[in-house]
Amino acid sequence: MLFDDQYLEEIKSRIDIVELVSRYVSLQPAGRNYRALCPFHEEKTPSFLVSPEKGIFHCFGCGVGGNIFTFVMKMESLTFPEAVAFLAEKCGMELPTLGKSITRQTKERDKLFLLNETLSRYYYQCLLNPGDELAHAARSYIYERRGLKPEIIEQFGIGFSPASGKESIAFLMEAGFSGQDVIKAGVGVVTKSGELLDRFRGRITFALHDVQGRVIGFGGRILGDGEPKYVNVSDTPVFSKGRNLYGLFASRNFIQRSHQAILVEGYMDFLTLFQEGINNCVASMGTSLTKDQAMLLRRYAEEVIICYDSDAAGQAATVRGMNILQEQGITVRILPIPAPYDPDSFLRQKGREKFLEIMEEAPSLFDFQLELFVKDYGLSSLESKAKIIRGMVPFLQSIRDPVERSLKVSYLAERLKVGESVIYSALRREKAPEAVLSSFVSRESGKVKAEKMLLRAMMESQFWRETVVKELEVQNFSRPEHRRIFRVFADSEEEGNLSPSDLIDIFSGDEEISCCITEIMTREDLQGGLNQEVVEDLIRRLKLASVEEEMQRIQEELSREDNEERLQYYHFLSQEREKLKRLD
């Protein structure tokens, strides 16, 4: 490990896993634990469990599990050292010097973060350059046409890239970065003649941040007319367009407090809303919303208001795709801005109060889409009603709450003047999405379950740990991950319990082991009822299974060739098997 056990334990003692996880998902009490919809996969029934007593989490849907470090690694896309640093900062602990222990991957990511931050500051200074005519035009566009204030420009890292495309590259080289670094960061492009130039040359630049506020890439807008109007950095080791939302680093606390997010399309829409004090907003960066972005929003918001420009009603296909949010259990409303405005121009010309007024009247996604279909097909014929019903089926299927779905069916039937049975019939004919994630059903053998019960006993009690280690050997366990966990217990000379969280730290970086540990410690069918008689019976079952497996292997050997020594060993094992059976 890169950090000593005492340091990691100190962090774990200061960080409440329930408080940490609840910053990302909505946890509900479930006995001594907490449940939620899993943030790592799409589901409609909560299968994600957090155990404050054990300091672990586990999802019975996708199998992911771990402790606070694992959780932060996955939620924030961090390496283990980065996750430790992230949590150490949260609880006010200084980070020890890691020296050569830092992995190459961590170094690469850190270098890209530094390059992006360095370039962001450079672009900002270029924007303020009084001697550059294009920079002056950029300032005029940003300050005068768009009305952005200096503090917003500085906070969100808006800048300008000089037109030649060479100055910024030279600046990065002087700062100690290589051409390969520049290309890897997605900032540099190589021309046909082999020259390395800035991808955003001659453009207004927008720094793109992750949820922690680190600069992970850039977008660029052309000055004047031309295509493409916007250029974004390509995917890099620190940036993925489909997994990030513009401005979320600054707005997530506002979104979390209000439980509501306003989703706009572009950078300028977001910046104007934020500047006007409507801070619970994010931008999808002009792309159709992805599942990853929807899951990211679900960490902070219970309701999303989609606020696209005045042409949104004509972009029916885009709006139809927004049921991806509804599938995540988020309430969705649509706010079409009146023509000829977009959110940015509407706010600047009509004002904040008018915007909030029309936002209050924003219809639900279901109602909005229904009215679009009615407008397209009308209600004058059976054929038109059939088209509307077929069009609304995906929206009905994406509603997770059966009560809400039933009410929507009733409303649609009344609106179309048809029987509810007609709509339910259409729902049955369509291939329905997975409505409910079935509860965890173990298909494992009795031996595997016995192994897990013994490993759980060893995690919970030093007495059981010593008992099992004395009676069993590593080869008594069938699964590789079980053997590795048992071996740690067998080799450990520590007094007291090795907690599940401690074990996860020992195997840090091994997701398979982490998931195995958290599954064992959170499965209800492995809990309780452990006493001397039960533990002895589990040990006997593992010994018996091992003996029978060995007998089968020797029997196969004897079927190929006679061997007196192996035959005697087979008889010995047969006697051992009978002894173990008599103990039953």
Side-chain angles (χ1 to χ4, degrees), residues 226-334:
E227 291 295 334
K229 183 184 290 186
Y230 281 94
V231 170
N232 288 309
V233 66
S234 54
D235 282 6
T236 73
V238 298
F239 173 76
S240 172
K241 188 174 182 181
R243 299 183 66 184
N244 292 276
L245 291 163
Y246 182 73
L248 184 59
F249 80 100
S251 64
R252 67 174 179 172
N253 290 335
F254 296 101
I255 293 171
Q256 204 162 27
R257 285 199 292 268
S258 66
H259 307 291
Q260 180 190 74
I262 302 168
L263 178 65
V264 294
E265 202 167 4
Y267 307 131
M268 295 306 305
D269 294 325
F270 168 87
L271 293 166
T272 302
L273 259 71
F274 198 89
Q275 180 172 272
E276 290 298 319
I278 304 173
N279 303 117
N280 58 324
C281 54
V282 288
S284 58
M285 296 190 282
T287 60
S288 297
L289 203 69
T290 66
K291 282 188 179 180
D292 286 330
Q293 288 173 322
M295 291 175 70
L296 182 59
L297 269 175
R298 196 188 72 189
R299 298 179 195 173
Y300 309 102
E302 296 173 6
E303 179 182 73
V304 171
I305 298 175
I306 301 168
C307 180
Y308 283 175
D309 60 29
S310 57
D311 193 35
Q315 299 176 10
T318 301
V319 178
R320 289 182 191 123
M322 290 305 174
N323 66 341
I324 191 174
L325 288 167
Q326 198 163 259
E327 288 171 354
Q328 294 295 326
I330 298 172
T331 300
V332 183
R333 291 196 285 148
I334 306 295

Side-chain angles (χ1 to χ4, degrees), residues 479-550:
R479 291 191 173 178
E481 59 269 29
H482 294 177
R483 292 180 179 179
R484 292 176 64 192
I485 295 170
F486 177 81
R487 189 175 284 114
V488 167
F489 282 124
D491 295 343
S492 175
E493 298 178 357
E494 291 185 29
E495 293 295 324
N497 297 339
L498 270 175
S499 73
S501 186
D502 294 334
L503 281 173
I504 290 168
D505 289 337
I506 290 171
F507 294 106
S508 61
D510 192 323
E511 188 169 334
E512 184 179 12
I513 293 287
S514 294
C515 296
C516 178
I517 293 168
T518 56
E519 180 209 333
I520 289 170
M521 294 307 297
T522 53
R523 266 178 56 182
E524 292 182 3
D525 62 325
L526 301 179
Q527 294 181 23
L530 287 176
N531 53 39
Q532 188 75 34
E533 184 179 351
V534 172
V535 171
E536 286 178 355
D537 183 61
L538 291 171
I539 291 171
R540 181 193 62 79
R541 288 170 62 184
L542 260 62
K543 286 181 175 179
L544 179 59
S546 296
V547 167
E548 289 178 337
E549 288 168 5
E550 180 72 357

Side-chain angles (χ1 to χ4, degrees), residues 396-460:
L396 291 168
Q397 289 177 333
S398 67
I399 299 172
R400 191 167 60 220
D401 185 345
V403 175
E404 183 184 354
R405 188 187 305 118
S406 177
L407 290 171
K408 288 288 196 295
V409 168
S410 297
Y411 175 81
L412 180 60
E414 184 179 349
R415 182 81 167 83
L416 300 182
K417 306 299 182 188
V418 299
E420 290 183 19
S421 59
V422 176
I423 299 170
Y424 280 117
S425 177
L427 280 170
R428 285 192 296 271
R429 282 197 298 270
E430 294 289 337
K431 184 180 179 182
E434 186 180 26
V436 178
L437 231 165
S438 59
S439 59
F440 182 85
V441 178
S442 176
R443 298 174 182 171
E444 65 207 4
S445 67
K447 181 177 187 295
V448 170
K449 185 172 181 179
E451 292 174 18
K452 290 180 178 179
M453 291 179 73
L454 284 175
L455 290 173
R456 181 180 182 117
M458 296 171 81
M459 292 181 205
E460 292 183 334

Side-chain angles (χ1 to χ4, degrees), residues 211-226:
V211 290
Q212 298 174 56
R214 298 176 297 188
V215 182
I216 54 177
F218 298 90
R221 189 196 191 283
I222 198 168
L223 280 173
D225 298 325

